[in-house]
Amino acid sequence: MCRLMCTRVVWPDANGSVIVGRNMDFHMDLLTNLWKYPRGMKRTDGVEGNLTWTSKYGSVVATAFDLIGTDGMNEKGFAGHILWLVESEYGKPEAQATQLSQAVWLQYYLDNFATVAEAVEWTNQSQVEIAQLFDPTGHIVPTLHLALDDATGDSAIIEYTDGKPTVYHNRDYKVMTNSPTFDKQLELVAQVQGLGGDKPLPGSTLASDRFARASYYVEQQVQPKTQLDAIAAMFSIIRNAAQPFREPEPGHPEASKTIWQVVLDLTNRRYVFESTTRPSTVWVDLDELSFNEGTKVLRLDLVGRLALEGGLAGNVSHSFHDVGEVATEVLATGMTALEWVAKKQDDFVAIKKAVQDLVGKKKPVAAQ
C-alpha cells in the first residue's frame, strides 16, 4: 500500500517574511494543477449539506486530479497543507454534527479565515468532524492531517485520532511530516543533537527523521538579503527532506517519492511550484490576480504545459484560463461521485463480506 508521505516547514522570521516549504510525496502523478478561486463562491460541506458557506477570501490551490485541494494560500497570506497521518481516526460523525468532507477540508479554511488564530478558534468551538473519501488511485481510505500557517508566522496542526480534532497551536511548531502523531514527533525530535538531545541528526526517509532534519536546518538559517535568498534557502531545506525516486524500501511499501514541492511567501503572497517529474519552476503572485466576487474560477495547466523545455516557466500569474462550463460540470460530477462512494463505505464492506461468504460456501466441482 503506497501512501502520501510529505513534509511541511515554516520559517517565520526570514528577514521580515514568513516562508513556508512543502513536499508532496506520492507513488504516482496526482495530475496537479493550480486553481484560482474568487471570493463569493457558494459551497457545501460535501457530506450532509448542513454546513454551507460563501467564500470570504480568494485563494490559489494545488489539487489532486482537479478534485481535491491538497495545498494552497488565500489572498490574506493564510495557507494550509494536507499531509498523510496513518493514525488518523475520524470516527462515525453524527448526521447533525458539523462536518467537512476531506475533499473540501482545506478549502473551507482558505475560504473563511485570515489567520491561524481564527481557524483554531472555529475548530475548537465547532468540533468539526471529517468525513473520509476513497482514494481514487488505489481504493485506499485517506487518513490525513492539516497544517496551517499565516503571514504573522503563526502555526497550527490539526489531527484526528478519536473522531474529534486535536489542535496543536504554537508559533514554534514549524515542522510537520507524517507518523507518529505530532505530540510524539515533538518527543522524538527533542532527542536529537542541536534540538535538545545528544543523538546524531538522522538521515533516513522515515517521517520522524525528516521531521528532525527539517527542524534542525530551519533553525540554522542565516537571515536572507532578498526574497530570492529566502526562497532558495527553503527549497534547500525541503529538498533535504525529500524522497528520491526508488524501488519501495524492504518492509516499507508506504515509502513514496517526492513528485512536487512548493515554497510560499506568506508575507508577499507568492506561491512557487516545482515539479520533480517536469522540473521547471513557476510562481504565482496573488497580488496580480483578481479575486473579486463574480470573476471566474481559473486553472493553471501544469499537467499539459509544464515542461523542462518549451513549457511554462517563471511568473505564470497571467497564464490561468477558464476551463469552460462542460469541464466544470464534469469535475463537479466527479466530486459528487467521490463523496457518494465515501458515504457508501459500510455498504461496500457488507457486500464484499457477503460475496466472500458466498464464495467460501460453494462446493468445489468434482474432477471429471
Side-chain angles (χ1 to χ4, degrees), residues 7 175 177 185 188-193 195 200-203 206-218 240-241:
T7 303
V175 176
T177 56
Q185 289 279 24
L188 291 172
V189 78
Q191 302 172 22
V192 175
Q193 190 174 15
L195 299 169
L201 192 65
L206 288 175
S208 55
D209 287 1
R210 289 183 280 112
F211 191 105
R213 291 201 305 281
S215 298
Y216 178 83
Y217 286 115
V218 77
N240 188 275

Side-chain angles (χ1 to χ4, degrees), residues 7 20 31 68 80 88 135 155 162 181 192 194 266 278 281 307 318 324 338 353 364 367:
T7 303
V20 180
L31 303 180
I68 301 168
S88 296
D135 172 9
S155 172
D162 61 358
T181 53
V192 175
L266 303 186
R278 296 179 290 275
T281 302
H318 302 287
L338 274 179
K353 184 178 185 303

Side-chain angles (χ1 to χ4, degrees), residues 84-87 145 159 161 176-188 206-209 211:
W84 198 276
L85 179 69
V86 71
E87 290 88 350
H145 55 171
E159 297 182 344
T161 55
M176 185 172 90
T177 56
N178 314 107
S179 299
T181 53
F182 189 73
D183 55 337
K184 293 182 173 60
Q185 289 279 24
L186 294 177
E187 293 175 5
L188 291 172
L206 288 175
S208 55
D209 287 1
F211 191 105

